[in-house]
Amino acid sequence: MAKHFCSASLTATLVAGAVLLLTGCGSGSADDAGSSSGGSAGLTSLKVGSSPTLTNASLYLATQDGTFKANNLKVTPQQVTSGAQALPMLLNGQIQFTAADPLGAIKAISEKMAVKIVGQGSVNATEAAKDSTVLVVAPGKVTSVAGLSGRTVAVNALGGLAEVAARAAIDAKGGTSKDVRFVEMSFTQMVAAVENGKVDGAVLNEPFVSQARSAGLTDLVPVMSTSMPKVPNSVYLTSESYAKSHPEVVQAFSESLDTANVTLSKDPAKIREVAAESTETSAEDLAKIVLPTFPDQPLSRQTLDDLQTLMVKYGILDSPIDLSSYMLVAQP
């Protein structure tokens, strides 16, 4: 199942939607609608917005192996389809945490949305062989990133993480990304579009990378390991109001995610076990795809600052944000 890369237009939509929801609320507050205590054996019940993807496998592992329960939490993942849906629900107290694309999260913070970053899911690999996001081309048509000048590359969201990462990878490998035309297209259409020449290349992630290779397409450049190694594929957010009123719960949730991430970092085979039960990835795809990388350390502010540097370079942010007050995690 594909990751969800957030576009700039989507960020504007989710900010506007959140404002409308908040101003449309009655006398109840986000805290009133928030977590409940005293459920199963005194556990604090939480709803967490998530998509059933490998990127969020540590969340699902912590619900399965008792990690959340050991920290007095009862977590129920609630499927959300986009940031435009999830962040208004977060700010309105319908969910207490949500997974989010880090570019979209930083952009939302820049738009003064009252959210805090509390943890991370999978992170980008540092080795090309472990990179699950690849720019693919038809065999023989383009043999280097320099050959992409004047050509068209598909991404799933203009102004989103995939485009920023692809531009940075192209430039890092000696190409000129400003001369490449990026177009928006769904992942499910990209392999056929490259095959029939509708586009010259596509930025894909698993399981679509494996599908592209099976169709005979060629890897041109591993995108994430080249452009933003160690940057998280997803971060977890809570609302500022919930963080203030439930600091112990936020800390317990963050520590639980870190524990599950470390477990998956030490035993990648467990990713397949968790995914088989909790994601929409088929058994056939799970057997052959490049698995995501999970961190053995808490979220580092430096990785998000590295992402911000690229966001500024490619016009997504006007200037970097000091994220120190927006991160409720250790910040090495």
Side-chain angles (χ1 to χ4, degrees):
M1 180 54 61
K3 303 172 199 167
H4 298 282
F5 296 115
C6 181
S7 69
S9 59
L10 175 57
T11 303
T13 300
L14 63 87
V15 170
V19 170
L20 285 173
L21 250 179
L22 288 172
T23 56
C25 291
S27 58
S29 68
D31 292 340
D32 294 334
S35 59
S36 61
S37 299
S40 300
L43 303 180
T44 297
S45 296
L46 301 171
K47 292 181 180 179
V48 180
S50 178
S51 58
T53 64
L54 291 171
T55 295
N56 300 318
S58 53
L59 173 73
Y60 294 102
L61 173 62
T63 64
Q64 293 172 15
D65 71 356
T67 298
F68 281 133
K69 186 176 182 180
N71 283 311
N72 298 313
L73 304 177
K74 180 183 179 182
V75 170
T76 303
Q78 181 164 328
Q79 187 167 342
V80 292
T81 58
S82 68
Q85 177 191 12
L87 290 189
M89 293 173 66
L90 182 73
L91 294 176
N92 201 29
Q94 294 171 271
I95 56 178
Q96 287 70 57
F97 299 91
T98 190
D101 159 18
L103 183 147
I106 292 170
K107 187 66 174 172
I109 289 170
S110 77
E111 298 286 348
K112 309 301 182 185
M113 188 175 288
V115 295
K116 301 288 188 180
I117 300 170
V118 302
Q120 64 184 336
S122 68
V123 298
N124 293 324
T126 58
E127 303 171 38
K130 296 181 179 180
D131 197 335
S132 58
T133 302
V134 180
L135 198 165
V136 302
V137 295
K141 189 172 184 180
V142 179
T143 57
S144 71
V145 292
L148 289 173
S149 292
R151 295 185 182 272
T152 301
V153 172
V155 292
N156 75 309
L158 293 176
L161 192 62
E163 181 184 344
V164 170
R167 286 188 182 279
I170 290 167
D171 292 338
K173 291 294 187 180
T176 307
S177 68
K178 65 182 179 60
D179 294 334
V180 179
R181 177 174 176 256
F182 287 88
V183 296
E184 190 168 307
M185 184 179 294
S186 70
F187 287 115
T188 55
Q189 297 175 315
M190 289 184 189
V191 172
V194 175
E195 286 182 303
N196 63 32
K198 185 176 181 180
V199 296
D200 300 295
V203 180
L204 294 170
N205 51 45
E206 292 289 17
F208 302 104
V209 172
S210 294
Q211 292 173 13
R213 290 167 178 163
S214 296
L217 301 187
T218 301
D219 293 6
L220 187 65
V221 60
V223 173
M224 295 299 183
S225 60
T226 300
S227 61
M228 49 180 76
K230 298 185 179 180
V231 171
N233 291 311
S234 67
V235 294
Y236 286 85
L237 305 177
T238 192
S239 67
E240 185 176 291
S241 62
Y242 191 82
K244 287 180 178 178
S245 60
H246 299 81
E248 297 86 357
V249 174
V250 172
Q251 181 177 351
F253 181 80
S254 178
E255 291 176 353
S256 298
L257 285 176
D258 288 342
T259 297
N261 282 333
V262 170
T263 298
L264 294 179
S265 76
K266 293 178 178 179
D267 186 8
K270 190 173 287 293
I271 299 171
R272 289 190 172 91
E273 295 176 21
V274 174
E277 186 172 331
S278 302
T279 78
E280 297 175 351
T281 310
S282 70
E284 181 181 0
D285 284 336
L286 282 172
K288 62 185 179 182
I289 63 175
V290 176
L291 294 173
T293 298
F294 283 85
D296 60 4
Q297 298 291 328
L299 174 61
S300 164
R301 188 180 71 191
Q302 183 59 55
T303 62
L304 296 182
D305 286 344
D306 291 344
L307 174 56
Q308 286 198 83
T309 298
L310 296 178
M311 291 172 69
V312 172
K313 180 177 181 179
Y314 295 107
I316 307 302
L317 278 181
D318 292 332
S319 59
I321 304 163
D322 181 358
L323 290 173
S324 57
S325 63
Y326 297 97
M327 295 180 65
L328 302 181
V329 294
Q331 300 178 36

